[in-house]
Amino acid sequence: QKEVEQDPGPLSVPEGAIVSLNCTYSNSAFQYFMWYRQYSRKGPELLMYTYSSGNKEDGRFTAQVDKSSKYISLFIRDSQPSDSATYLCAMRSFDAGGTSYGKLTFGQGTILTVHP
Amino acid sequence: GAGVSQSPSNKVTEKGKDVELRCDPISGHTALYWYRQSLGQGLEFLIYFQGNSAPDKSGLPSDRFSAERTGGSVSTLTIQRTQQEDSAVYLCSCAETDTQYFGPGTRLTVL
């Protein structure tokens, strides 16, 4: 079983829809949670970063973390065709050494298409 | 203000050949990571450099894979005696604090 599970989709929604993307994880040591967006033939870019349970909002994007259930979500409101991309969840554990930030463990990514 | 650059952008090689992939990180970013992304898969960690510390090589899949980072800046990932299963996109990222910035990747195809 992978440490991070993410439904690969693909997910196709009409413009203006609310999109929900989810990941589950098994490693209790994960403390930091991220969502990356990756356009075709490009590197991933950071969308959201959080380290506590609860919601974090940034414009049309809301990241939700439930550590007790080991479940994270990304919600996209009023989705646009420009949101069409692969969305990757990523997480890492706390590094007590303080001098390094450590590797990220990624889900396999969800392919999202928003059609006009 | 350039971001992370990687070269070549595409590499096609024959099985058994050696390849070198290059990463130029953002100036001043002390942490550098290599990941591999196979078709339809998320990113798989390979190796991590932090300043002058010994690199974390725990993700390298075999001894055919190696990487070095010269002068705390440019990094080279070397794959010896390439196999078809090495075909993937190889991504480099760097970090100054806790946010990793990714390059566009090198798409490696082993025939």
Side-chain angles (χ1 to χ4, degrees):
Chain A
Q1 183 186 4
K2 294 182 179 180
E3 283 189 293
V4 180
E5 297 279 358
Q6 183 177 5
D7 186 340
L11 190 59
S12 180
V13 301
E15 182 175 355
I18 297 174
V19 176
S20 172
L21 305 167
N22 312 293
C23 289
T24 59
Y25 62 97
S26 57
N27 188 346
S28 298
F30 289 141
Q31 297 292 324
Y32 301 90
F33 306 92
M34 297 131 219
W35 285 95
Y36 281 83
R37 178 175 62 194
Q38 185 177 26
Y39 291 115
S40 181
R41 303 260 173 178
K42 302 287 186 183
E45 57 177 329
L46 182 66
L47 271 180
M48 301 286 284
Y49 169 55
T50 186
Y51 53 86
S52 59
S53 285
N55 294 352
K56 181 178 181 180
E57 190 172 316
D58 184 0
R60 295 185 296 109
F61 299 90
T62 299
Q64 189 174 80
V65 174
D66 182 346
K67 290 186 179 179
S68 62
S69 300
K70 298 190 180 66
Y71 187 87
I72 68 170
S73 299
L74 178 71
F75 298 96
I76 307 174
R77 290 182 299 280
D78 187 25
S79 56
Q80 302 295 309
S82 58
D83 295 328
S84 298
T86 297
Y87 289 80
L88 298 145
C89 64
M91 48 199 78
R92 71 168 183 85
S93 57
F94 175 71
D95 188 322
T99 59
S100 65
Y101 298 104
K103 65 180 183 182
L104 295 177
T105 301
F106 284 83
Q108 67 183 107
T110 299
I111 300 171
L112 172 67
T113 302
V114 181
H115 50 86
Chain B
V4 181
S5 60
Q6 292 186 244
S7 60
S9 55
N10 285 282
K11 177 70 176 179
V12 180
T13 191
E14 294 179 346
K15 178 181 173 182
K17 300 284 189 182
D18 298 351
V19 294
E20 283 189 355
L21 312 179
R22 177 186 169 106
C23 173
D24 282 88
I26 298 170
S27 177
H29 285 207
T30 58
L32 186 147
Y33 309 77
W34 283 96
Y35 294 86
R36 177 169 71 175
Q37 186 174 29
S38 302
L39 186 64
Q41 299 298 312
L43 280 69
E44 172 192 14
F45 167 76
L46 296 177
I47 188 169
Y48 159 51
F49 297 89
Q50 172 63 54
N52 296 321
S53 302
D56 176 357
K57 304 180 182 180
S58 60
L60 295 179
S62 78
D63 59 8
R64 297 187 295 105
F65 288 73
S66 63
E68 62 178 23
R69 188 177 186 192
T70 54
S73 181
V74 171
S75 178
T76 302
L77 177 69
T78 301
I79 309 173
Q80 296 178 309
R81 304 181 303 281
T82 52
Q83 304 294 312
Q84 288 182 332
E85 60 263 28
D86 299 334
S87 296
V89 177
Y90 290 82
L91 289 153
C92 169
S93 70
C94 64
E96 185 178 32
T97 57
D98 204 19
T99 298
Q100 292 188 27
Y101 298 91
F102 283 84
T106 293
R107 183 173 298 272
L108 175 66
T109 302
V110 182
L111 302 176

